[in-house]
């Protein structure tokens, strides 16, 4: 049997029971400035530093089984993101949290976790919306005006093609009242996930373009993801409540 | 120095970080980065500390600097001392360089955010000659006068170390002192002295810079360039390099560590948050090389060979894998196959990593049945390419350069490898080696064609269909370096190189062969910098003022710019690349790396006659490196 066949054999037939923990994590400061792949790698290495029984994929190039709910862009902090981690034996989530917090770099930490029953769908597929906090001087009145508009056109470049896209339908709700920080902050719920997703920087570009919000202030705007949600709006649920 | 200084940490704005490539280069915050919190609290509260503050500077971008083992070793050694806090700083890429200049933000160290000018010692590791202008970039952005002569009592002491400082003359005026050789012990002797200086600042007799440098000059291995006067002959060659103060050694001998088992090695080290060039944990097997390839500077600079024991390495390897979480452990040395206990070491590591999915990487491994078997065992991933470095195309030329590898060796190991299922081969050659003729250049393509043919012969013999053959041939320009038997030899002209390259390009046309070549312009400049003298410092500073930084990046390098600056200074490329007389005094003759000039000259003559010299373990050739009293030179006596 050649290597390729052997690999296929191993992945399809050698089924191992997975014990999955869904871990909520947060990042700030220096760890906000890394991309999604680097974040995955940082998690992988941190778990390898713990003695937790991490499950690896079978085959010739075994990788740990980590599934992130929604990639985080460079420069975005988070208070509430999720990763599913597969173990080869059951591990209490409290132990995962404790161990991981000993071994993660300073600006990245886990908050809490739950055991995911077998047969539960992927955390990635569950995400339908995400909330973000935007912090920048005097941003509130500009965003209020943007939310009153029927459409918000932005320029999107994909596969070398430039298109005008209306992002207004992707903004689901204004959550600012729940997250009061005065005139210098807003909190919004955007559609998110693999099907439709609104990136916070795209929203900011619309606010500067159509409502003349100061570009420099927008460039300095601190963006924090404050939550991930599942379910069809308006019947949406915070992932942490599941 | 820092008595007057307070603590002014730099915090970059979000928009600045978002405007550059890979902002994590400038944020720090990695696992294993050392924040000495008691010192930091002192700095925040009072703006000063008695702890010696050392900024370890790497004059290239973060991803390259963090891949350097010297940085990791010395960061660990310095921070193990209760009297020192060592931090890191890297060259900002052009995008961040522009922001720092425009906004007048000083270059800072990642741990505390302090500008470089707030440190007691600013130390550079110089790994290659083309980083010199980046040293100037870091000094200027860090708020430090470029030249030693212009620094005052409040400026940091600027020091350097690393492989290229064996001839540091082109950058000598920019450094207050230079450490020659292995730094683990020397650097702590230096920080002890800096501690004295710092404490003396509180007394009636504060130690001056001059006093500090005088005392530092008596630390073995420390070279204070300003304490030496260089005079030149009418033809531009060096007449003499003489101490200009009493009690200063006329020759500086490099420092080495004799017992590598006893010296501190980082088993806990920084794990970067982003991908870097060499993204793995490293074990250092040994220093030095027994081979004596005549073109290889490292092979002479790091003599004598000193090994770590397999027990020490096993312990360090296991600890490193655990503490870093890396899934790859790299073995570092100049020639992995020459490590005495390679088999017990790799067996031990494979056993210890069972079930961890950790792979070992073994670069510079000679290809034979043992190593093929080993490669199969250690790598959890698919069969990667095999690498050979015949360096020259004919046996005659391989004898000249003392490369102890024959065509038969190469073909028989490849026969084994092809049978074992390998189908990707990388071959490294050099063009412009001393005495090279067109026949030698064609010899390269002949050898490559024989390998190509061998692959199909093996396939026929086995009666199997094999995977697609991929032969990658890479040529670089030979740069005759100081402290090698070829230090007297000229470098080929740019035109000669171009001619040889196009000849090979023609000869290597095949669907199975890929020919890649190293940039010619940068290699021509490298010979100037590696064999240059102090007069080049002015040229470097002028080039820096014109914006020439990141010279080692092909697309940043301006060949014509540098050539015209050289000419403006009344110097020329030809002067530095020319053949040198056997009795010529070199700009680096006051530095002693153990291996003596007489030996190198003997080797040069043997090369001319095509006589090979055996490796150290077979027979001693009396190179002079036994002067350190240890290592391979005394192995026979011990056993």
């Amino acid at each position: 049997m050649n290597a390729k066949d052997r690999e296929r054999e191993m992945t399809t037939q050698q089924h191992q029971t997975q014990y999955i923990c869904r871990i909520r994590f947060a990042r700030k400061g220096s760890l906000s400035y890394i991309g999604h792949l680097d974040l995955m790698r940082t998690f992988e290495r941190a778990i390898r530093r713990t003695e937790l029984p991490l499950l690896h994929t079978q085959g010739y190039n075994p990788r740990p089984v980590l599934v992130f709910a929604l990639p985080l862009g460079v420069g975005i902090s988070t208070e509430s993101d999720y990763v599913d981690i597969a173990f080869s034996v059951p591990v209490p989530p409290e132990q995962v949290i404790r161990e991981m917090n000993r071994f993660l770099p300073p600006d990245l930490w886990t908050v809490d976790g739950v055991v995911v029953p077998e047969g539960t769908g992927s955390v990635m597929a569950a995400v339908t919306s995400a909330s973000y906090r935007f912090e920048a001087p005097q941003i509130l009145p500009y965003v209020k005006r943007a939310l009153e508009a029927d459409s918000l056109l932005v320029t999107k470049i994909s596969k070398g093609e430039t298109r005008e896209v209306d992002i207004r339908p992707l903004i689901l709700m204004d959550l600012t009242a729940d997250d009061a920080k005065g005139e210098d902050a807003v909190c919004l719920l955007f559609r998110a996930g693999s099907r439709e997703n609104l990136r916070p920087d795209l929203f900011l570009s619309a606010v500067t373009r159509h409502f003349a919000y100061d570009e420099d202030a927008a460039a300095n705007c601190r963006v924090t993801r404050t939550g991930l949600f599942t379910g069809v709006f308006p019947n949406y649920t915070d992932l942490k409540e599941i | 120095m820092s008595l007057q200084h307070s603590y002014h940490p730099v915090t970059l704005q979000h928009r600045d970080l978002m405007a550059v490539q890979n902002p994590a280069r400038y944020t720090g915050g990695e696992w294993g980065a050392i924040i000495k919190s008691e010192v930091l609290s002192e700095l925040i509260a009072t703006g000063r500390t008695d702890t010696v503050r050392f900024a370890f500077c790497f004059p290239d971008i973060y991803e390259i600097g963090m891949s350097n083992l010297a940085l990791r070793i010395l960061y660990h050694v310095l921070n193990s001392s209760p009297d020192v806090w060592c931090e890191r700083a890297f060259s900002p890429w052009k995008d961040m360089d522009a922001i720092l200049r425009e906004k007048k933000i000083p270059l800072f160290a990642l741990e505390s955010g302090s500008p470089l000018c707030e440190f007691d010692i600013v130390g550079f590791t110089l790994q290659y000659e083309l980083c010199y202008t980046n040293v100037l970039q870091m000094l200027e952005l860090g708020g430090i006068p470029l030249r030693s002569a212009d620094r005052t009592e409040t400026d940091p002491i600027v020091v350097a170390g690393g492989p290229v400082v064996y001839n540091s003359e082109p950058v000598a005026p920019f450094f207050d002192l230079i450490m020659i050789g292995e730094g683990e012990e020397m650097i702590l002797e230096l920080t002890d002295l800096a501690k004295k200086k710092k404490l003396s600042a509180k007394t009636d007799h504060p130690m001056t810079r001059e006093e500090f440098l005088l005392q530092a000059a008596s630390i073995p291995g420390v070279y204070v360039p300003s304490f030496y006067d260089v005079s030149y002959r009418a033809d531009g060659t060096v007449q003499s390099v003489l101490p200009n103060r009493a009690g200063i050694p006329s020759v500086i001998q490099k420092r080495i560590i004799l017992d590598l088992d006893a010296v501190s090695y980082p088993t806990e080290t920084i794990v970067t948050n982003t991908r870097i060039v060499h993204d793995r944990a490293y074990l250092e097997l040994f220093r030095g090389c027994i081979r004596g390839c005549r073109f290889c500077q490292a092979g002479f600079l790091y003599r004598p060979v000193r090994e770590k024991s397999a027990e020490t390495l096993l312990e360090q390897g296991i600890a490193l894998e655990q503490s870093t979480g890396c899934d790859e452990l790299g073995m570092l040395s100049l020639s992995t196959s020459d490590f005495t206990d390679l088999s017990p070491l790799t067996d031990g590591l494979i056993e210890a990593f069972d079930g961890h999915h950790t792979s070992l990487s073994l670069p510079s491994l000679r290809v034979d049945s043992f190593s093929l078997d080993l490669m199969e065992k250690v790598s959890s991933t698919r069969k990667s390419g095999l690498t050979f470095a015949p360096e020259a195309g004919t046996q005659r030329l391989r004898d000249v350069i003392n490369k102890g590898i024959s065509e038969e060796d190469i073909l028989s190991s490849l026969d084994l490898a092809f049978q074992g299922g390998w189908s990707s081969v990388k071959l490294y050659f050099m063009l412009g080696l001393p005495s090279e003729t067109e026949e030698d250049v064609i010899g390269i393509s002949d050898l490559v064609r024989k390998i190509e043919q061998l692959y199909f012969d093996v396939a026929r013999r086995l009666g199997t269909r094999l995977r697609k053959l991929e032969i990658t041939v890479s040529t670089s320009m030979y740069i005759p370096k100081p402290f090698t038997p070829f230090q007297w030899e000229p470098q080929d002209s740019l035109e000669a190189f171009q001619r040889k390259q196009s000849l090979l390009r023609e000869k290597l046309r095949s669907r199975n062969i890929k020919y890649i070549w190293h940039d010619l312009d940068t290699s021509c400049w490298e010979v100037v910098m590696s064999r240059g003298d102090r007069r080049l410092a002015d040229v470097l500073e002028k080039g820096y003022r014109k914006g020439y930084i990141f010279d080692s990046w092909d697309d940043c390098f301006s060949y014509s710019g540098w050539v015209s600056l050289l000419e403006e200074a009344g110097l020329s490329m030809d002067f530095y690349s020319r053949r040198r007389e056997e009795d010529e005094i070199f700009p680096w003759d006051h530095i002693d790396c153990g291996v003596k000039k007489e030996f190198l000259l003997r080797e040069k003559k043997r090369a001319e006659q095509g006589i090979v010299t055996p490796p150290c373990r077979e027979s001693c050739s009396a190179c002079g490196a036994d002067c350190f009293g240890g290592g391979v030179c005394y192995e026979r006596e011990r056993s």
Side-chain angles (χ1 to χ4, degrees):
Chain A
M1 197 186 301
N2 71 29
K4 249 204 175 122
D5 292 339
R6 194 159 55 214
E7 188 173 354
R8 209 171 295 133
E9 180 98 342
M10 287 172 83
T11 37
T12 53
Q13 296 198 350
Q14 272 200 10
H15 174 74
Q16 266 187 292
T17 315
Q18 305 190 354
Y19 300 91
I20 296 174
C21 274
R22 181 159 301 167
I23 301 297
R24 186 153 70 104
F25 69 91
R27 76 172 187 181
K28 64 173 173 133
S30 52
L31 262 293
S32 305
Y33 292 99
I34 68 174
H36 182 58
L37 291 177
D38 286 329
L39 184 70
M40 284 169 61
R41 219 180 44 111
T42 300
F43 260 99
E44 261 181 51
R45 288 188 167 176
I47 304 170
R48 286 174 56 89
R49 293 192 283 268
T50 71
E51 308 233 308
L52 295 169
L54 192 61
L55 188 78
H56 283 74
T57 57
Q58 301 292 302
Y60 252 68
N61 194 7
R63 308 285 340 151
V65 186
L66 296 183
V67 179
F68 285 79
L70 187 66
L72 268 164
V74 174
I76 299 176
S77 311
T78 182
E79 292 171 352
S80 199
D81 258 81
Y82 300 84
V83 56
D84 281 358
I85 306 173
F87 298 102
S88 53
V89 294
V91 191
E94 307 74 52
Q95 190 191 339
V96 178
I97 301 300
R98 200 173 50 238
E99 283 291 300
M100 296 228 28
N101 283 347
R102 280 179 59 205
F103 290 100
L104 281 167
D107 285 346
L108 179 64
W109 66 101
T110 57
V111 182
D112 49 29
V114 291
V115 172
V116 178
E118 218 180 338
T120 310
S122 150
V123 66
M124 214 191 306
V127 173
T128 55
S129 54
S131 57
Y132 295 92
R133 185 192 308 122
F134 297 84
E135 289 167 278
Q138 288 298 310
I139 194 170
L140 181 79
Y142 292 89
V143 169
K144 290 273 179 223
R145 281 162 59 204
L147 294 180
E148 282 159 17
D150 293 331
S151 74
L152 277 177
L153 291 180
V154 294
T155 314
K156 240 183 160 174
I157 307 164
S158 70
K159 291 168 196 149
E161 246 180 85
T162 319
R163 311 179 279 143
E164 291 281 287
V165 185
D166 182 12
I167 59 164
R168 183 63 191 87
L170 302 178
I171 307 168
L172 298 173
M173 222 179 137
D174 182 1
L175 302 171
T176 309
D178 307 343
D179 193 75
K181 297 236 167 165
E183 299 266 289
D184 297 341
V186 292
C187 191
L188 301 168
L189 184 70
F190 292 163
R191 276 195 204 282
S194 46
R195 281 185 58 241
E196 283 181 304
N197 189 59
L198 177 54
R199 285 191 351 236
D201 56 319
L202 221 49
F203 172 73
L204 277 172
S205 74
V207 178
T208 49
R209 175 172 157 190
H210 301 293
F211 303 96
Y213 182 63
D214 182 53
E215 284 197 24
D216 210 34
N220 233 358
C221 178
R222 305 306 308 260
V223 182
T224 308
R225 191 182 278 166
T226 53
L228 286 176
F229 305 86
T230 186
V232 182
F233 187 79
N235 297 314
Y236 68 102
T237 325
D238 197 324
L239 272 179
K240 73 180 168 199
E241 279 150 27
I242 300 179
Chain B
M1 40 200 141
S2 43
L3 194 64
Q4 301 87 333
H5 283 188
S6 42
Y7 173 53
H8 305 106
V10 168
T11 339
L12 292 173
Q13 284 198 299
H14 178 68
R15 65 168 158 250
D16 295 333
L17 285 167
M18 293 304 284
V20 297
Q21 263 181 38
N22 194 1
R25 286 170 180 166
Y26 312 103
T27 59
E30 308 95 330
W31 172 258
I34 293 169
I35 307 289
K36 293 209 168 175
S37 45
E38 66 289 2
V39 184
L40 189 60
S41 319
E42 249 185 308
L43 286 170
I44 292 167
T46 67
R48 60 184 64 128
T49 173
D50 287 341
T51 303
V52 173
R53 302 193 65 198
F54 195 114
F56 197 102
C57 298
F58 195 98
D60 209 319
I61 58 167
Y62 176 88
E63 291 91 324
I64 293 176
M66 283 309 296
S67 301
N68 179 256
L69 187 61
L71 178 148
R72 289 176 181 271
I73 291 176
L74 294 172
Y75 183 78
H76 164 80
V77 165
L78 287 165
N79 280 320
S80 303
S81 161
D83 292 327
V84 185
W85 183 16
C86 173
E87 306 181 36
R88 296 159 297 148
F90 301 92
S91 238
W93 184 243
K94 293 181 170 187
D95 49 9
M96 184 55 88
D97 175 290
I99 291 173
L100 296 181
R101 283 173 205 274
E102 190 202 316
K103 304 197 170 177
K104 303 203 174 358
I105 302 169
L107 180 63
F108 55 93
L110 295 182
E111 282 76 359
S112 68
S114 279
L116 297 187
C117 60
E118 289 184 359
F119 284 81
D120 300 306
I121 303 181
V122 170
F124 286 86
T125 179
L126 304 178
Q127 299 287 325
Y128 26 84
E129 293 85 352
L130 297 181
C131 71
Y132 289 161
T133 48
N134 281 67
V135 171
L136 303 183
Q137 174 214 30
M138 292 183 76
L139 286 173
E140 183 171 55
L141 289 174
I144 301 167
L146 298 190
R147 291 187 183 243
S148 173
D150 297 332
R151 292 184 196 125
T152 65
E153 294 298 329
T154 56
D155 290 310
I157 300 288
V158 180
V159 311
V164 304
V165 301
Y166 289 88
N167 178 29
S168 57
E169 291 308 293
V171 282
F174 306 123
F175 293 105
D176 298 315
L177 69 86
I178 286 164
M179 287 176 277
I180 314 285
E182 295 165 13
E184 285 102 329
E185 294 170 348
M186 193 174 13
I187 209 160
L188 290 178
E189 292 160 25
L190 188 75
T191 52
D192 280 350
L193 186 60
K195 175 91 178 175
K196 268 193 210 156
K197 180 178 192 302
K198 217 169 169 171
L199 293 177
S200 80
K202 295 177 174 174
T203 66
D204 296 338
H205 302 287
M207 193 192 289
T208 62
R209 278 181 97 78
E210 168 82 10
E211 284 163 348
F212 176 86
L213 292 176
L214 270 170
Q215 290 194 39
S218 65
I219 298 174
V222 167
Y223 167 45
V224 180
S226 60
F227 290 174
Y228 296 80
D229 290 331
V230 185
S231 57
Y232 300 89
R233 294 177 201 278
D235 63 3
T237 60
V238 171
Q239 179 158 32
S240 66
V241 180
L242 294 170
N244 54 25
R245 282 168 180 70
I248 300 302
S250 54
V251 170
I252 301 99
Q253 191 180 61
K254 79 167 177 198
R255 286 285 287 275
I256 64 165
I257 303 295
L258 278 181
D259 186 354
L260 290 183
D261 283 327
V263 77
S264 172
Y265 187 80
T267 49
E268 286 179 4
T269 183
I270 295 169
V271 180
T272 59
N273 293 323
T274 51
R275 199 164 278 282
I276 56 174
V277 179
H278 300 296
D279 209 356
R280 53 184 82 94
Y282 274 114
L283 268 187
E284 189 188 19
L285 303 184
F286 62 96
R287 293 182 184 171
C289 181
I290 56 166
R291 298 272 147 191
C293 300
R294 292 180 181 127
F295 56 86
C296 176
Q297 191 188 32
F300 297 100
L301 287 183
Y302 302 143
R303 285 184 180 207
V305 165
R306 290 142 292 142
E307 292 193 339
K308 275 192 198 177
S309 70
E311 297 83 67
T312 304
L313 288 165
L314 195 57
E315 217 170 274
Q316 291 177 346
I318 292 170
L320 261 172
E321 191 241 8
Q322 173 64 50
S323 75
T324 60
C326 286
D327 59 5
E328 190 178 351
L329 185 66
M331 314 268 147
L332 276 191
S333 70
L334 290 171
S335 169
T336 313
S337 297
D338 289 327
F339 182 64
T340 317
D341 286 330
L342 187 61
S343 176
L345 173 64
T346 48
D347 285 348
L349 287 171
I350 290 167
E351 199 189 314
F353 298 160
D354 184 41
H356 296 202
H357 307 289
T358 302
S359 61
L360 303 183
S361 75
L362 297 148
S364 21
L365 205 56
R366 256 197 318 281
V367 176
D368 53 30
S369 55
F370 166 75
S371 63
L372 287 174
D373 187 44
L374 184 60
M375 278 183 255
E376 191 119 40
K377 277 197 287 189
V378 298
S379 172
S380 58
T381 51
R382 238 167 311 141
K383 280 179 180 139
S384 53
L386 291 172
T387 304
F388 288 82
E391 312 291 5
T394 59
Q395 196 55 47
R396 184 201 69 79
L397 192 52
R398 281 193 294 270
D399 288 345
V400 167
I401 62 175
N402 205 40
K403 180 81 194 181
I405 182 173
S406 69
E407 186 171 302
E408 217 181 293
D409 292 339
I410 298 169
L411 293 177
S412 64
S413 24
L414 274 170
D415 198 314
L416 273 175
F418 290 155
Q419 288 180 51
W422 269 271
S423 62
S424 165
V425 187
K426 266 196 205 126
L427 297 156
Y428 289 99
F429 295 94
M430 280 183 291
L431 292 175
L433 287 163
S435 85
E436 184 189 58
T437 62
E438 192 173 288
E439 200 182 313
D440 298 305
V441 179
I442 293 171
I444 294 176
S445 68
D446 289 347
L447 179 59
V448 175
R449 292 295 185 176
K450 276 182 200 161
I451 292 169
E452 192 182 18
Q453 190 52 48
L454 174 72
Y455 186 77
F456 297 110
D457 290 348
V458 171
R460 205 167 23 248
R461 211 165 65 221
L462 296 179
T464 50
R465 260 184 64 102
L466 299 174
R467 276 187 288 172
K468 190 190 175 318
L469 172 66
E470 281 172 49
I471 303 177
T472 309
V473 179
S474 166
T475 61
S476 61
M477 263 171 85
Y478 176 61
I479 300 165
K481 294 246 166 157
F483 299 100
T484 67
F486 295 151
Q487 61 182 346
W488 290 272
E489 298 292 335
Q491 187 183 38
D492 247 359
S493 68
L494 193 59
E495 295 71 36
F497 280 119
Q498 282 163 342
R499 207 172 50 241
K500 290 169 186 174
Q501 260 183 12
S502 44
L503 177 64
L504 270 184
R505 217 160 35 215
E506 197 61 41
K507 294 256 171 204
L508 290 175
R509 220 163 261 168
S510 157
R511 53 194 287 268
N512 304 310
I513 302 169
K514 196 172 135 205
Y515 176 39
I516 50 178
W517 55 89
H518 195 265
D519 189 64
L520 297 178
D521 294 352
T522 48
S523 308
C524 285
W525 186 239
E526 196 179 321
V527 83
V528 175
M529 283 299 130
S530 71
R531 304 207 297 189
D533 50 54
R534 277 194 197 184
R535 295 173 300 177
L536 290 168
D538 290 345
V539 176
L540 279 167
E541 190 175 340
K542 282 200 182 110
Y544 167 66
R545 298 283 172 216
K546 291 188 83 166
Y548 301 161
I549 49 172
F550 291 106
D551 278 342
S552 59
W553 298 67
D554 293 352
D555 49 345
C556 298
F557 181 74
S558 169
Y559 180 69
S560 57
W562 281 117
V563 171
S564 59
L565 280 173
L566 207 55
E567 282 163 5
E568 272 172 40
L571 303 167
S572 71
M573 301 288 281
D574 293 346
F575 176 78
Y576 294 102
S577 61
R578 84 202 136 85
R579 179 181 298 284
R580 305 191 174 203
E581 296 303 322
E582 285 180 5
D583 59 355
E584 183 172 333
I585 296 169
F586 293 140
W588 55 88
D589 275 354
H590 56 300
I591 305 296
D592 172 15
C593 74
V595 172
K596 302 293 178 284
K597 201 173 180 180
E598 302 81 69
F599 166 77
L600 296 174
L601 198 56
R602 275 205 311 276
E603 278 294 287
K604 173 188 188 277
K605 292 188 169 145
R606 285 169 76 96
E608 283 161 4
Q609 295 157 34
I611 306 173
V612 296
T613 297
C616 299
R617 282 207 179 98
E618 250 168 61
S619 102
C620 174
S621 305
C623 70
D626 63 341
C627 64
F628 297 104
V632 69
C633 315
Y634 297 86
E635 253 171 29
R636 221 167 278 210
E637 276 173 37
R638 274 200 305 273
S639 63

